[in-house]
Amino acid sequence: MRCPSCGYAESKVVDSRPSEDGASIRRRRECLDCGRRFTTYERLGDNPLVIVKSDGSSEAYNREKLFRGVLIACAKRPISSEQVTSLIDDIEAELRNDMKNEIKSKDLGNMVLARLRKLDDVAYVRFASVYKDFQNIEEFATALEGLD
Ligand SMILES: [Zn+2]
């Protein structure tokens, strides 16, 4: 959602509520550059999932990024990439069933943890210790490169 005043691509959601007919979500956003507030209407169902980070900024859900993060936590553990794929399929199915259009990064992180715990203790602890609130996949990757 680009800012209508300055065109900046990132905004944070300051308020979010269903429209009267329930078919869309009305969001108040604040531009992270110029601070202008604007309203968007987003139809349910045809929007990608949005991840809301702990600082209030948001980004589109990226399956590839999540996959990479989980795969890194599972490095050198007896977990196949098929298992990681089905873990992510499972999370996406749950989100679809809940009809969620956005999720807090921390909640998504917890969904991963709940599933990793059943698969492998080491991968669970790695993901939990470095990726607590699903903030920054690059930092996470760098921190794990230090592990061996
Ligand atoms: Zn702006």
Side-chain angles (χ1 to χ4, degrees), residues 2-8 10 30-36 38:
R2 291 194 175 272
C3 169
S5 313
C6 72
Y8 194 68
E10 292 197 51
E30 185 179 304
C31 173
L32 290 183
D33 189 31
C34 72
R36 170 164 168 178
F38 55 100

